Amino acid sequence: MKKQIIILAVVSIFTWGCNSETKQQSTIDSNVVSDGIDTVAVDKVPDADMHNAQISLDWNGTYKGITPCADCEGIETEVTLNKDMTYLIKTKYKGKGDKIFEETGDFKWDKTGSIVILEGLKDRSSQFFVGENTLTQLDMDGNRVTGDLAENYILKK
């Protein structure tokens, strides 16, 4: 009788141990995101979510605002994102004449699906965080601008 109880206890412990490992593996698998090209762990990507800007928001359209300028009154900035993954960016330096600079090109989404990268821009930030009816210009390293002027980097639809 004692042998049967010991065997039953060992089998129960072994079965419980296998179940625990299966649940842990399932949790690990649910924390992985694949975009068809790259597979990344969600906890390694800041703010990664299955409901990202690329698939959840009406991101295409024109965003406008006045961004800070080191040697002028501000930069009138207009960014248009098209569904065909092209962009048009217009800039006008306030107080420096009426010339409007235009640049066009293609853009791509980063791995999180929340940041667009405008390809072909030189000597300026090319990354923007896409929010609900907003486009936030990021710094040269792809980080949000902080401080007193942070709100000035948000373009609105």
Side-chain angles (χ1 to χ4, degrees), residues 38-50:
D38 297 318
T39 301
V40 295
V42 172
D43 60 351
K44 301 290 185 203
V45 178
D47 299 325
D49 189 351
M50 293 307 294

Side-chain angles (χ1 to χ4, degrees), residues 51-59 109 112-115 129-131:
H51 300 286
N52 60 37
Q54 183 179 6
I55 60 174
S56 297
L57 297 179
D58 183 23
W59 51 264
W109 291 90
T112 68
S114 296
I115 296 174
F129 176 83
V130 180

Side-chain angles (χ1 to χ4, degrees), residues 115-127:
I115 296 174
V116 293
I117 302 163
L118 309 182
E119 298 178 331
L121 295 182
K122 295 180 180 151
D123 301 323
R124 62 183 294 172
S125 177
S126 62
Q127 298 183 54

Side-chain angles (χ1 to χ4, degrees), residues 77 98 127:
T77 305
D98 292 331
Q127 298 183 54

